[in-house]
Amino acid sequence: MRPTSCTAITCTALTRPLARFAGLLSLFVSFTCTSQADEGMFPMSELGKLDLNAKGIELTAEELFNPKGLSLVDGVCRVNGCTGSFVSPLGLIITNHHCAYDAIQKASSPTRDLLANGFSAASLAEEIPAPDYQVRVTEDYRDVSVQVLAAVTADMSNLDRKKAIDKRAKELEAEAEKANQGLRAEVAEMFAGKTYVLFLYTYLKDVRLVFAPPQSVGNFGGEVDNWEWPRHTGDFSFMRVYTAPDGSSATFSKDNVPYKPKRFVQVDPKGVNENDVVFLLGYPGRTARHKTASFLKFEQNVRLPTIIDLYQWQIAVMTQAGAEDRSVEIKQASRIKSLANVEKRSRGQLQGLIRASIVPTREKQEAELQSFINSDPARKATYGNLLREIESVYSEMAASAPLDIHLDQLRSACRAVSFGFFVYDAAVERAKPDLDREATYMDRNYTDSIQKLKTSMADFHAPTDQTILAGVLQRLAKISAASEVPALKALLAEPTKIDAQAARLISKTKLGDVAFIETCLAQSAAELAKSTDPLLQLVVQLYPTFLKSRETDKAREGRLGQLYGPLIDIKQKFLERDFVPDANSTLRLTSGRVRSYSPSDAVVKMPITTLRGVLEKTTGIEPFDTPAAVIEKYNSGNDQRFRSAVVNSAAVNSATLNGLSANDVPVAILYDTDTTGGNSGSPVFNSRGNLVGVNFDRCFEATINDFAWNTDYSRSIGVDIRYVLWITGVAYGAEHLLNEMGVGK
Amino acid sequence: MRPTSCTAITCTALTRPLARFAGLLSLFVSFTCTSQADEGMFPMSELGKLDLNAKGIELTAEELFNPKGLSLVDGVCRVNGCTGSFVSPLGLIITNHHCAYDAIQKASSPTRDLLANGFSAASLAEEIPAPDYQVRVTEDYRDVSVQVLAAVTADMSNLDRKKAIDKRAKELEAEAEKANQGLRAEVAEMFAGKTYVLFLYTYLKDVRLVFAPPQSVGNFGGEVDNWEWPRHTGDFSFMRVYTAPDGSSATFSKDNVPYKPKRFVQVDPKGVNENDVVFLLGYPGRTARHKTASFLKFEQNVRLPTIIDLYQWQIAVMTQAGAEDRSVEIKQASRIKSLANVEKRSRGQLQGLIRASIVPTREKQEAELQSFINSDPARKATYGNLLREIESVYSEMAASAPLDIHLDQLRSACRAVSFGFFVYDAAVERAKPDLDREATYMDRNYTDSIQKLKTSMADFHAPTDQTILAGVLQRLAKISAASEVPALKALLAEPTKIDAQAARLISKTKLGDVAFIETCLAQSAAELAKSTDPLLQLVVQLYPTFLKSRETDKAREGRLGQLYGPLIDIKQKFLERDFVPDANSTLRLTSGRVRSYSPSDAVVKMPITTLRGVLEKTTGIEPFDTPAAVIEKYNSGNDQRFRSAVVNSAAVNSATLNGLSANDVPVAILYDTDTTGGNSGSPVFNSRGNLVGVNFDRCFEATINDFAWNTDYSRSIGVDIRYVLWITGVAYGAEHLLNEMGVGK
């Protein structure tokens, strides 16, 4: 397989399967910011307003994003929840190892452990189908704010307003999908209660695994190094997407052919050095940069500490259960990992909120805004109470948070309860017209939802569930409002009997049994309500409470949407500049530089790690068990490609020894771009738009990104392209992939 | 109290109480090394052979050390196990907080908690006597190798040889003390089996506490930060030594007057910056730089891993006991701290041995040495078997180590056994002529030994002792050689009954009872052997085994002494240069620079920490509970003394934010001098011999110093003189002490 050799970003594929919508609306007026600061996850529509040159980017806005022609963005796609980049004209995609993890795991068997040993397809024929994967390519988008907001009237309640917006969005999606057969439409809220955009996507369904390093490279450092820098993880894999011979999206077939991306991105084997400009394209999930100080106080004082406490407890329970039984350990590993990830992130966020004084800073900004509002009677009349009203919503949330959070844990942390809730909720929702349902139960999503439920049932372990159920009930017993929940009244009345009750409920329930769940899924709500399963009975009795809680959440969301819309307006007027909307899983560009940082007094962390550092961390015990092939190839030094004469700048020449390695293979890079969860797999480009890395994490202190940008602490982490190429080509000999990417010998 | 103002090192006191020995011998021939390297703990006699200028020291060898006149060394003293510096003409001494700890603790009462609140004497009259303290001033020394070695003959057994050397040393000490009334003589082995030096000391016995910061400053970071950098500990205290009105050494009396040191050292409130030259004077304890690779292998493979395992277990046992009972926690805190200190140091040493490849490096050097030896028949005949024979001793030690180490733990970790051993051993030894006794029981030491025993009995806790005794016996039961120990045979025969046996022994023994121990101390060995105390009975039965072990140790030591002597000779010939002897608690000089280091890939640790960093670490919970006075004085910023415009060099200007603080109070400094345990309290001098810090620790990676110098990792830690002065003068207002030191407003 030798693709036509081509260079850099002038390289394009031949076909453009779909024409674009013309005449895109600009989402945000007067975006004139030319700041050198690194904050900003910029929507594509705003690139023309940025001074890209001042940011060090050598491409024009049109070379980055061009709805009427080809641009760099066409080389980027979404791979399930991650970002991917097309790196050859034959649909070859690079993304993170942790993004391809499920595919690698599913393709493994006891006799062929691809997670442990890695995988390298010698030819297209050897590539392994990943049936649970879809690659999403953005075809177009348009502003639908007017259409969406036409559904609401001033006299609507908060709840009705929220429901009306949701329903109108679903209608617009259905219309667009009807008009664009084969595409999927999704409406995204850009500014709450203000701006809505409809995106059109192609979903490609024949995705195959091409190359994965052993887990001991792709997940080197594991949980220990998660959220940490310095990092030494080769968190990358290659996949390939196929289409029907006519280029249309199709599920797996031997007759399918490699997808021809509209264009691909060129990898640059030279990589980047300290202080070099980099920029990323990706789909950051959620940020709260436009939220008020009252929201941040709610997070800092109420939600984050409660979640940290609850998750630490659950992780301890599961770890204890795993220590006693290896099969339980394996079963719960993924759930522990997921909770540990959120727990550590939450700790980082809490530390960051406190250490960077984010609440007082935002309070000060809001005090200035309030003065501005009050200085004009007309403004005061329109906007005068906004901040106060928003605060009252969060105060209400804070007051009910202990009960709300623990009820939510009762429904989610206790797995059998969550399975029971799904089946009963499905029965209720599926009885409604499609557009009126919760999204999970809409026809377009339901098959996926069932699949996810079944996957998640694999981690069920009755003794753990019993401990968790008992623990959550014990905690609820200490919250006075909980005893007013009808379904819980009797259970919580005698705290000394809670353990026995939990034991009874879990021992008697069949909700952990897939066959029983399947039977339930075929039943109506009325039928389920007659079940003799005691835990399902508890779920049915709790359901009105859960339902009320969901409605309350929607009402609050609607209310906040109503308040945040005008708040954004007046903030814009006050600051005389525009804002970038909070992240919402839509495509964004962020730029910065390869940069060190100082997490604490007298400690400096340099921005490039090396293979020597991998060996330094290697203990031979997971998660620090480097494969022999890597150690041998590194020590032999026969193949000197992808080494760098100087790693990190000479700035610390006098200071450092290990920090300034020479002639070593760079492994991971650190940069001050603005990312958040959802940026996994984002391509890291150099100033010319060539691929120099794949983003996969943030440093611990950068968990603060979700609340505020911080020039001292906001650092993201990517695997260096040189390590990608060294592992792929030098350590594991997949020279044909290097050739396909145009960087072979 | 305003002492005469004076400047820098020209400042001297008026009296020289004792004349020196004249005509000092040079201990080591042809010392011509002018290396720029920082390795080396140089004995005073060698300073004239060093190129001090090349090291950046602006003083001449005579200004540093001059047996015929005054020199910087005369400003340095020993304070119990630590080093101290005279910092005023009135006997004011600065040393570490942890060195003054016992004095502060003993002066505290529930109503006057000096550990928690700190202490500042407003006048001489308020200074608090520290009766357990002695300040030792070195008066002179001379080489006594010829006299010592005259006691041995070629046909002596190893054990007899060792005993003969010990006895001759004791005789020389007795002679010297007779000839120099009031002085104490001590013979130190410089090179094993080769060089011996007799030191003459004055012991000053009226020591008083002058100033101590609160423990939350003096021990900030506690065990968490022990052996760590960055460090933020204000580990200093001031004491003062008094003499009888005639200047002679005397115990506490109201009539005593401040001691007039021969000279004192001048503090420099400007401190040092990154890369500045510093040098230290102090009493490093033990190093093993001249030991063979076979010794290092014994440490790496046998002793260190076993000690780490045993200590971790004992710490866990005591921590568990403390978690259940606060009074037990307090009682055992000091012992836990002491074990944790050794455990962490041992872990660091083990990591360092492996990471710096010290064994293979030394093996390579020895292979070269062996080739040199073999290349000449005469050399080969004399030295050819040395390395092999040394290795055979360590092999023998490795083979018996499991039993030896666990028997030693049985005697020391189980406190009641150790108390029993002391009284029985004392009875046996005290029956011998004074010079034939183990040093502990010689008349000149016995009172101190008894005092130490009683102090150590304060941490006795029967349930902990029972767990430890049972655990050590369980471990011994797994060592086959242990069942051959007559006293243990029956005990170990049935492992399932060991716990019950330990319970019986501890519940029935009175060895934890001070009154019982006092009764025992009055009895002969024969009387003790008749005791009905079951644990004392066990000790008596074990005694022959312990005794044999002590004799075996001495025989090995004698044998190694015999082998290492010629090994040092031939190494000198091979390398054509001299060696600095291993540390042996005698006065040494070491020099280096204020220097950052990189403990691991991409991490750089800057060499100066700041008060901002103290606040950054402050959580309000011990050991990070900064006193309100410190926080307030720092935040008020009213008194700007002792701040530094730039902290750390500008080398990392582009890289760092926190690492490069401006206008802050430096707190601790890091430098690459060559120190080891025993350097606590060592003065840190700038190039002109002015005091800029007080040494108190090494970084984790520098625990390796005991085995080998490493330019990458060997870093020592001192409290910055600016923090000393800021805490003393600005935070706690002891302006009169600053004036006494000549650095007041």
Side-chain angles (χ1 to χ4, degrees):
Chain A
M1 191 170 65
R2 304 258 160 183
T4 313
S5 169
C6 62
T7 56
I9 63 156
T10 57
C11 204
T12 60
L14 298 173
T15 59
R16 290 198 65 210
L18 279 159
R20 300 289 180 107
F21 280 78
L24 284 161
L25 299 170
S26 170
L27 298 180
F28 315 102
V29 289
S30 67
F31 199 96
T32 54
C33 173
T34 58
S35 161
Q36 299 257 13
D38 302 301
E39 177 170 11
M41 302 171 177
F42 302 102
M44 291 304 106
S45 57
E46 306 314 297
L47 300 186
K49 297 171 190 165
L50 297 177
D51 186 345
L52 293 168
N53 207 269
K55 290 180 178 294
I57 298 175
E58 298 173 48
L59 305 184
T60 64
E62 288 70 32
E63 287 172 317
L64 290 168
F65 173 69
N66 183 358
K68 291 176 186 150
L70 285 178
S71 64
L72 191 61
V73 160
D74 294 311
V76 179
C77 59
R78 194 144 175 85
V79 182
N80 283 8
C82 292
T83 306
S85 307
F86 292 113
V87 285
S88 92
L90 294 175
L92 186 66
I93 291 171
I94 189 167
T95 187
N96 291 144
H97 181 271
H98 77 261
C99 297
Y101 190 91
D102 283 344
I104 306 167
Q105 189 174 37
K106 289 226 168 75
S108 293
S109 66
T111 54
R112 196 192 185 208
D113 189 341
L114 305 190
L115 272 177
N117 305 321
F119 171 70
S120 179
S123 67
L124 292 180
E126 287 187 9
E127 294 174 5
I128 304 173
D132 296 339
Y133 277 67
Q134 296 194 340
V135 163
R136 190 184 84 181
V137 180
T138 306
E139 299 296 352
D140 220 331
Y141 69 84
R142 60 190 160 104
D143 189 298
V144 291
S145 307
V146 174
Q147 294 95 313
V148 169
L149 293 172
V152 305
T153 58
D155 58 349
M156 275 181 171
S157 74
N158 296 325
L159 179 58
D160 288 344
R161 184 184 167 87
K162 169 71 181 149
K163 284 182 173 175
I165 287 174
D166 284 353
K167 192 170 178 184
R168 174 58 56 88
K170 290 173 188 167
E171 289 165 355
L172 291 168
E173 287 167 355
E175 280 169 24
E177 289 180 6
K178 208 170 161 191
N180 298 274
Q181 285 297 321
L183 298 194
R184 182 165 169 114
E186 285 167 24
V187 169
E189 185 181 67
M190 304 302 277
F191 280 123
K194 197 164 174 245
T195 320
Y196 299 83
V197 174
L198 184 142
F199 288 85
L200 278 169
Y201 301 115
T202 297
Y203 277 79
L204 300 165
K205 292 173 181 171
D206 184 356
V207 185
R208 304 185 195 175
L209 185 64
V210 176
F211 179 95
Q215 187 171 215
S216 49
V217 170
N219 190 32
F220 184 81
E223 281 311 295
V224 182
D225 275 5
N226 190 25
W227 297 111
E228 298 291 344
W229 181 263
R231 198 64 157 275
H232 295 84
T233 314
D235 195 353
F236 75 95
S237 287
F238 289 101
M239 303 184 94
R240 193 187 303 279
V241 63
Y242 287 72
T243 63
D246 67 355
S248 65
S249 176
T251 53
F252 173 77
S253 159
K254 276 194 301 176
D255 301 330
N256 284 352
V257 298
Y259 169 71
K260 295 191 174 56
K262 293 192 279 291
R263 64 155 289 172
F264 67 89
V265 301
Q266 180 61 41
V267 308
D268 184 342
K270 290 201 197 66
V272 274
N273 294 316
E274 188 177 1
N275 295 321
D276 282 356
V277 165
V278 289
F279 68 94
L280 274 67
L281 291 170
Y283 298 88
R286 292 274 156 206
T287 52
R289 308 268 175 87
H290 294 299
K291 297 279 174 76
T292 58
S294 50
F295 165 79
L296 296 177
K297 273 197 280 194
F298 170 70
E299 288 285 311
Q300 180 170 325
N301 301 332
V302 183
R303 201 188 67 85
L304 288 173
T306 311
I307 288 295
I308 291 166
D309 176 55
L310 279 164
Y311 282 20
Q312 283 179 343
W313 162 64
Q314 289 170 42
I315 291 164
V317 168
M318 284 190 274
T319 305
Q320 179 61 35
E324 288 159 12
D325 184 338
R326 170 74 181 147
S327 70
V328 174
E329 187 182 8
I330 294 168
K331 192 183 268 202
Q332 299 188 333
S334 173
R335 189 164 171 78
I336 288 178
K337 188 172 169 172
S338 158
L339 289 181
N341 186 50
V342 175
E343 189 275 332
K344 193 166 182 182
R345 185 188 66 206
S346 301
R347 264 191 294 124
Q349 290 174 329
L350 193 55
Q351 174 190 297
L353 279 166
I354 295 163
R355 212 159 86 168
S357 303
I358 294 179
V359 169
T361 304
R362 204 159 293 184
E363 276 174 338
K364 189 164 164 280
Q365 292 163 348
E366 288 174 4
E368 288 163 6
L369 175 65
Q370 191 68 51
S371 298
F372 171 73
I373 293 171
N374 294 350
S375 67
D376 176 285
R379 269 206 301 265
K380 190 174 179 184
T382 312
Y383 303 106
N385 290 324
L386 281 177
L387 284 166
R388 199 161 28 247
E389 287 181 34
I390 290 175
E391 182 163 23
S392 77
V393 178
Y394 291 122
S395 295
E396 189 187 307
M397 282 167 67
S400 66
L403 181 59
D404 293 348
I405 293 174
H406 283 86
L407 281 177
D408 188 56
Q409 288 296 306
L410 179 61
R411 188 172 57 74
S412 60
C414 174
R415 308 302 292 144
V417 173
S418 81
F419 307 148
F421 179 80
F422 183 98
V423 296
Y424 192 73
D425 200 28
V428 172
E429 288 289 307
R430 298 279 294 167
K432 298 178 185 172
D434 194 51
L435 284 180
D436 290 345
R437 297 175 197 162
E438 291 292 310
T440 308
Y441 311 105
M442 286 175 71
D443 290 340
R444 66 207 289 261
N445 300 319
Y446 194 55
T447 313
D448 273 3
S449 301
I450 297 282
Q451 184 52 47
K452 278 183 196 151
L453 170 68
K454 287 184 182 169
T455 304
S456 82
M457 288 187 74
D459 68 15
F460 179 72
H461 176 238
T464 299
D465 230 36
Q466 182 184 319
T467 309
I468 301 267
L469 176 60
V472 174
L473 290 172
Q474 295 284 12
R475 282 154 195 254
L476 276 163
K478 290 182 189 139
I479 300 166
S480 60
S483 64
E484 289 159 32
V485 175
L488 296 179
K489 199 156 197 154
L491 261 178
L492 304 183
E494 295 185 79
T496 54
K497 293 187 180 165
I498 285 177
D499 288 357
Q501 293 278 23
R504 182 184 62 85
L505 287 167
I506 296 295
S507 68
K508 299 257 162 93
T509 189
K510 288 184 186 163
L511 284 172
D513 175 350
V514 175
F516 180 70
I517 289 291
E518 279 176 345
T519 316
C520 290
L521 286 169
Q523 297 183 343
S524 70
E527 287 166 334
L528 291 172
K530 286 179 201 146
S531 167
T532 56
D533 188 289
L535 198 63
L536 182 53
Q537 268 303 320
L538 178 63
V539 168
V540 174
Q541 288 161 34
L542 275 168
Y543 191 75
T545 303
F546 287 140
L547 209 61
K548 196 177 150 205
S549 167
R550 186 151 76 193
E551 302 268 292
T552 305
D553 286 350
K554 281 188 187 174
R556 283 174 184 157
E557 205 183 317
R559 173 97 185 111
L560 288 170
Q562 247 177 323
L563 295 165
Y564 271 115
L567 183 70
I568 298 287
D569 286 339
I570 190 65
K571 250 176 109 174
Q572 281 183 329
K573 277 183 197 140
F574 171 53
L575 297 175
E576 297 186 322
R577 65 172 172 85
D578 276 334
F579 304 96
V580 176
D582 269 320
N584 62 348
S585 297
T586 60
L587 189 61
R588 306 291 178 97
L589 176 143
T590 170
S591 75
R593 286 176 187 274
V594 178
R595 268 190 86 192
S596 64
Y597 83 113
S598 173
S600 56
D601 186 35
V603 177
V604 179
K605 298 194 174 182
M606 303 305 295
I608 305 182
T609 59
T610 64
L611 240 170
R612 194 188 53 70
V614 173
L615 298 198
E616 194 175 84
K617 278 186 181 172
T618 297
T619 58
I621 299 160
E622 283 295 351
F624 298 105
D625 185 19
T626 304
V630 171
I631 297 174
E632 282 160 24
K633 291 286 179 182
Y634 179 69
N635 287 335
S636 87
N638 290 336
D639 191 334
Q640 291 282 311
R641 283 180 298 167
F642 315 122
R643 296 196 178 220
S644 178
V646 174
V647 178
N648 296 319
S649 75
V652 286
N653 206 346
S654 69
T656 166
L657 298 130
N658 286 327
L660 184 78
S661 307
N663 193 34
D664 209 331
V665 181
V667 167
I669 49 178
L670 186 77
Y671 32 84
D672 61 358
T673 61
D674 191 0
T675 71
T676 187
N679 269 110
S680 277
S682 277
V684 184
F685 294 110
N686 65 13
S687 61
R688 299 173 304 285
N690 294 341
L691 191 75
V692 293
V694 183
N695 189 71
F696 68 91
D697 202 6
R698 283 172 283 161
C699 71
F700 186 66
E701 294 78 9
T703 51
I704 204 180
N705 281 9
D706 298 349
F707 298 123
W709 173 259
N710 186 293
T711 188
D712 290 354
Y713 300 128
S714 290
R715 296 290 182 280
S716 300
I717 300 171
V719 56
D720 192 298
I721 197 68
R722 291 165 287 195
Y723 194 49
V724 170
L725 299 175
W726 189 90
I727 287 287
T728 308
V730 178
Y732 291 99
E735 205 66 50
H736 60 287
L737 289 181
L738 271 54
N739 289 332
E740 182 177 343
M741 292 185 279
V743 293
K745 278 180 182 170
Chain B
M1 191 170 63
R2 306 253 163 188
T4 312
S5 169
C6 61
T7 56
I9 60 157
T10 56
C11 203
T12 60
L14 299 175
T15 58
R16 291 197 65 209
L18 280 160
R20 301 289 178 108
F21 279 77
L24 284 162
L25 300 170
S26 169
L27 298 182
F28 316 101
V29 288
S30 68
F31 200 97
T32 55
C33 172
T34 57
S35 159
Q36 298 257 11
D38 301 300
E39 176 171 11
M41 303 170 174
F42 301 102
M44 291 304 105
S45 57
E46 307 313 298
L47 300 186
K49 298 170 188 167
L50 297 176
D51 185 346
L52 293 168
N53 206 269
K55 289 180 180 294
I57 299 175
E58 298 174 47
L59 305 185
T60 63
E62 288 69 33
E63 286 171 318
L64 290 169
F65 172 69
N66 183 357
K68 293 177 185 149
L70 283 178
S71 65
L72 191 61
V73 161
D74 294 311
V76 179
C77 59
R78 195 144 174 84
V79 183
N80 283 9
C82 293
T83 307
S85 306
F86 292 112
V87 286
S88 90
L90 293 176
L92 187 66
I93 292 170
I94 188 166
T95 187
N96 291 146
H97 182 270
H98 76 263
C99 297
Y101 190 90
D102 283 344
I104 306 167
Q105 190 177 36
K106 290 230 167 74
S108 293
S109 66
T111 53
R112 193 191 186 210
D113 189 340
L114 305 189
L115 271 177
N117 305 322
F119 171 70
S120 179
S123 66
L124 292 180
E126 286 187 12
E127 295 174 2
I128 303 172
D132 296 338
Y133 277 67
Q134 295 194 342
V135 164
R136 191 185 82 181
V137 181
T138 306
E139 299 296 351
D140 219 328
Y141 69 84
R142 61 189 159 108
D143 187 299
V144 292
S145 306
V146 173
Q147 293 93 315
V148 168
L149 293 173
V152 304
T153 58
D155 58 349
M156 274 181 171
S157 73
N158 296 324
L159 179 59
D160 288 344
R161 185 184 166 87
K162 170 71 183 150
K163 284 183 173 173
I165 288 174
D166 285 353
K167 192 171 178 186
R168 174 57 55 90
K170 289 173 189 166
E171 289 165 356
L172 289 169
E173 287 166 355
E175 280 167 25
E177 288 180 6
K178 207 171 161 191
N180 297 274
Q181 285 297 323
L183 298 195
R184 182 164 168 114
E186 284 166 27
V187 170
E189 183 180 67
M190 304 302 276
F191 280 122
K194 199 169 171 240
T195 319
Y196 298 83
V197 174
L198 185 143
F199 288 85
L200 278 169
Y201 301 115
T202 298
Y203 278 79
L204 300 166
K205 292 174 182 173
D206 183 356
V207 185
R208 305 185 194 175
L209 185 65
V210 177
F211 180 94
Q215 186 171 214
S216 50
V217 169
N219 190 32
F220 184 80
E223 281 310 297
V224 182
D225 276 4
N226 190 24
W227 296 111
E228 298 290 343
W229 179 266
R231 197 63 158 274
H232 295 85
T233 313
D235 194 354
F236 74 94
S237 287
F238 288 101
M239 304 184 93
R240 193 186 304 279
V241 62
Y242 287 73
T243 63
D246 67 357
S248 65
S249 177
T251 53
F252 173 77
S253 158
K254 275 193 303 177
D255 300 329
N256 285 353
V257 296
Y259 170 69
K260 295 190 172 60
K262 292 191 280 290
R263 64 157 287 172
F264 67 91
V265 301
Q266 179 61 41
V267 308
D268 185 343
K270 290 199 196 67
V272 273
N273 294 318
E274 188 178 2
N275 296 321
D276 282 355
V277 165
V278 290
F279 69 94
L280 275 68
L281 291 170
Y283 299 87
R286 291 276 155 204
T287 52
R289 308 268 174 87
H290 293 300
K291 296 278 174 79
T292 59
S294 50
F295 165 79
L296 297 176
K297 273 196 281 192
F298 171 70
E299 287 286 308
Q300 180 170 326
N301 301 332
V302 182
R303 201 187 68 85
L304 288 172
T306 311
I307 288 295
I308 291 167
D309 176 53
L310 279 164
Y311 281 21
Q312 283 180 344
W313 162 64
Q314 290 171 40
I315 291 164
V317 167
M318 285 190 274
T319 305
Q320 180 61 35
E324 288 160 12
D325 184 338
R326 170 70 181 148
S327 70
V328 174
E329 188 182 6
I330 293 168
K331 191 183 271 204
Q332 300 188 332
S334 172
R335 188 162 171 78
I336 289 179
K337 189 172 169 174
S338 157
L339 289 182
N341 186 50
V342 175
E343 188 276 331
K344 194 167 182 182
R345 185 188 66 204
S346 302
R347 265 191 295 122
Q349 290 174 327
L350 192 54
Q351 174 189 298
L353 278 167
I354 295 165
R355 212 159 88 170
S357 302
I358 293 179
V359 170
T361 304
R362 203 157 296 182
E363 277 174 340
K364 192 165 160 281
Q365 292 163 349
E366 288 174 6
E368 289 163 6
L369 175 64
Q370 190 69 51
S371 297
F372 170 73
I373 293 171
N374 293 350
S375 67
D376 176 285
R379 267 205 303 264
K380 190 173 175 186
T382 312
Y383 303 106
N385 290 325
L386 281 176
L387 285 166
R388 199 160 30 245
E389 287 182 35
I390 290 176
E391 183 163 23
S392 77
V393 177
Y394 292 121
S395 294
E396 188 189 306
M397 282 167 68
S400 66
L403 180 61
D404 293 347
I405 294 176
H406 284 86
L407 281 177
D408 188 56
Q409 289 296 306
L410 179 61
R411 189 172 55 75
S412 61
C414 174
R415 309 300 293 141
V417 173
S418 82
F419 307 148
F421 179 79
F422 183 96
V423 295
Y424 191 72
D425 200 26
V428 172
E429 289 288 309
R430 298 280 294 166
K432 299 180 185 171
D434 194 51
L435 284 180
D436 290 344
R437 297 175 196 162
E438 291 292 309
T440 308
Y441 310 105
M442 286 174 73
D443 289 340
R444 65 207 290 261
N445 299 319
Y446 194 55
T447 313
D448 272 4
S449 301
I450 298 280
Q451 184 52 47
K452 276 183 197 151
L453 170 70
K454 287 184 183 168
T455 304
S456 83
M457 288 188 74
D459 67 14
F460 179 71
H461 176 238
T464 300
D465 230 35
Q466 182 183 320
T467 310
I468 301 266
L469 176 61
V472 173
L473 290 173
Q474 295 283 10
R475 283 154 194 254
L476 276 163
K478 291 182 188 136
I479 299 166
S480 59
S483 65
E484 290 160 32
V485 174
L488 296 178
K489 199 159 198 153
L491 262 177
L492 304 182
E494 295 185 79
T496 54
K497 293 189 180 162
I498 284 177
D499 288 358
Q501 294 278 23
R504 182 184 62 83
L505 286 168
I506 296 295
S507 68
K508 299 258 162 91
T509 189
K510 287 185 185 162
L511 284 172
D513 177 349
V514 175
F516 180 69
I517 289 292
E518 279 174 345
T519 316
C520 290
L521 286 169
Q523 297 183 341
S524 69
E527 286 166 335
L528 290 171
K530 287 181 203 147
S531 169
T532 57
D533 188 289
L535 199 63
L536 183 53
Q537 267 304 319
L538 178 64
V539 168
V540 173
Q541 288 160 34
L542 276 168
Y543 191 74
T545 304
F546 286 141
L547 209 59
K548 194 178 151 204
S549 167
R550 189 152 70 194
E551 301 269 292
T552 306
D553 286 350
K554 279 188 187 173
R556 284 173 184 157
E557 207 183 315
R559 173 99 184 108
L560 288 171
Q562 244 176 324
L563 295 165
Y564 270 116
L567 184 71
I568 298 286
D569 287 338
I570 190 65
K571 251 175 108 175
Q572 280 183 329
K573 277 183 198 141
F574 172 53
L575 297 174
E576 296 184 325
R577 65 172 172 83
D578 275 335
F579 303 96
V580 176
D582 270 320
N584 62 347
S585 296
T586 58
L587 188 61
R588 305 292 178 100
L589 175 143
T590 169
S591 75
R593 286 176 187 274
V594 178
R595 269 190 87 192
S596 64
Y597 83 114
S598 173
S600 56
D601 187 35
V603 176
V604 179
K605 298 194 171 180
M606 303 305 295
I608 305 181
T609 59
T610 64
L611 241 169
R612 192 187 55 69
V614 173
L615 299 195
E616 196 175 83
K617 278 187 182 171
T618 297
T619 58
I621 299 160
E622 283 295 350
F624 299 105
D625 185 18
T626 304
V630 171
I631 298 173
E632 282 160 22
K633 291 288 179 181
Y634 179 68
N635 287 336
S636 86
N638 289 338
D639 192 333
Q640 291 283 311
R641 283 180 297 167
F642 314 121
R643 296 197 178 221
S644 178
V646 174
V647 179
N648 296 321
S649 76
V652 287
N653 207 347
S654 69
T656 167
L657 298 127
N658 287 327
L660 185 78
S661 307
N663 193 32
D664 209 331
V665 180
V667 168
I669 49 178
L670 186 77
Y671 33 83
D672 60 359
T673 60
D674 191 0
T675 70
T676 188
N679 270 110
S680 277
S682 276
V684 184
F685 294 109
N686 65 12
S687 62
R688 299 174 302 287
N690 295 340
L691 191 77
V692 294
V694 182
N695 189 70
F696 68 92
D697 203 5
R698 282 171 284 162
C699 70
F700 186 66
E701 293 79 9
T703 51
I704 202 180
N705 281 9
D706 298 348
F707 299 122
W709 173 260
N710 187 294
T711 186
D712 290 355
Y713 300 128
S714 290
R715 296 291 183 279
S716 301
I717 301 171
V719 56
D720 193 298
I721 196 70
R722 291 164 287 196
Y723 194 49
V724 170
L725 298 174
W726 190 90
I727 288 286
T728 308
V730 178
Y732 291 98
E735 205 67 52
H736 59 287
L737 288 182
L738 272 54
N739 289 333
E740 182 177 343
M741 292 184 279
V743 294
K745 278 179 181 170

